[in-house]
Amino acid sequence: SVPAGLWARTAAPSQVELRWQPASDNFYVAGYTIRRNGAVVGTAAGPFYPDTGLSAGTQYSYTVEAFDGAGNRSGQSASVSTNTPAAGSPIEVIVDDADGAPWVNIFGQWNSYSSSFLQGSWGTGCQVGRVANGAQSVTFTPFLPEAGNYEVLVWYGAVGGPNLLPYFAPPSVPVDIVYGGVTNTVILNEQQNYTNWFSLGTYAFGAGINGFVTIRTDGTSGYYVVADALRFIK
């Protein structure tokens, strides 16, 4: 099927983030081809693509098409256009659980829930891992347009709703922030600060795919850990 719901978000003067609804196929969708101003600029395994190396203060137009393992292709999606901000504007990169590999890697038995089921999720939904299932993790890897000090913020919904949080949500979720070969572990209380961007601190990341953030289920109590979205601001 033709990918629907394509939208573009300017992450930096040199970078645009694209997201869309997954296509369907009678066998399987192998990936997506991304076009900028009519020319192919890359492919993606999942419904997310960071377009990099752009010029500041410039308008760009995008379409996406799906392909399967046999080489069949869908039509191109509806076009979406956006303008990159002026040089020197702030950088804001978001990695969502639905973005797929290599931006999001899931280890263990996590379940995907829609935002209509777990209210307060960022985007279309989130990942929920059961603590009793042992060591599991979700790793979020951003593509950062330049090196520098980035504030890292996390978003998660209220599992079970606010009234059941003390029963369902863990008070001490380990979150590993890895940058420049250094690992800094922050303990996150998911009984608090839900349904908003909560800061985990500021860290020195390199440019490109240089670091990542991992949310783990081991070493905590409670029933369910939520892994939803990460935001990097410079």
Side-chain angles (χ1 to χ4, degrees):
S1 64
V2 177
L6 175 64
W7 61 276
R9 180 178 179 276
T10 55
S14 63
Q15 185 166 314
V16 169
E17 295 179 352
L18 301 171
R19 287 182 171 87
W20 56 91
Q21 297 173 13
S24 60
D25 186 74
N26 60 355
F27 185 41
Y28 74 99
V29 176
Y32 302 87
T33 299
I34 295 89
R35 284 182 169 84
R36 182 212 306 144
N37 298 340
V40 174
V41 292
T43 60
F48 170 71
Y49 183 79
D51 191 24
T52 61
L54 306 177
S55 299
T58 304
Q59 184 179 71
Y60 294 97
S61 178
Y62 294 93
T63 60
V64 175
E65 66 180 28
F67 58 88
D68 64 16
N72 301 303
R73 291 185 172 272
S74 73
Q76 294 185 44
S77 69
S79 176
V80 64
S81 297
T82 190
N83 293 292
T84 52
S89 297
I91 295 172
E92 182 183 45
V93 174
I94 294 177
V95 186
D96 181 50
D97 72 289
D99 292 342
W103 321 109
V104 177
N105 288 286
I106 299 172
F107 173 78
Q109 301 175 26
W110 294 78
N111 294 310
S112 179
Y113 287 97
S114 68
S115 54
S116 61
F117 180 84
L118 202 159
Q119 296 184 1
S121 299
W122 195 92
T124 59
C126 64
Q127 300 295 319
V128 177
R130 189 177 177 89
V131 174
N133 288 340
Q136 304 170 92
S137 63
V138 179
T139 297
F140 299 79
T141 303
F143 192 107
L144 302 176
E146 61 184 55
N149 293 322
Y150 286 82
E151 183 181 13
V152 178
L153 303 98
V154 62
W155 182 292
Y156 48 93
V159 61
N163 293 332
L164 294 177
L165 271 177
Y167 179 74
F168 283 122
S172 55
V173 178
V175 181
D176 300 326
I177 302 167
V178 181
Y179 56 100
V182 177
T183 299
N184 190 303
T185 301
V186 175
I187 301 302
L188 178 65
N189 185 352
E190 289 198 347
Q191 296 179 5
Q192 303 173 358
N193 304 304
Y194 46 84
T195 66
N196 66 80
W197 289 112
F198 179 69
S199 179
L200 300 176
T202 300
Y203 306 91
F205 285 87
I209 301 176
N210 177 265
F212 55 87
V213 176
T214 298
I215 298 175
R216 297 188 277 118
T217 61
D218 57 312
T220 188
S221 58
Y223 280 86
Y224 303 103
V225 172
V226 177
D228 196 347
L230 270 292
R231 181 183 183 194
F232 301 80
I233 299 177
K234 177 180 181 293

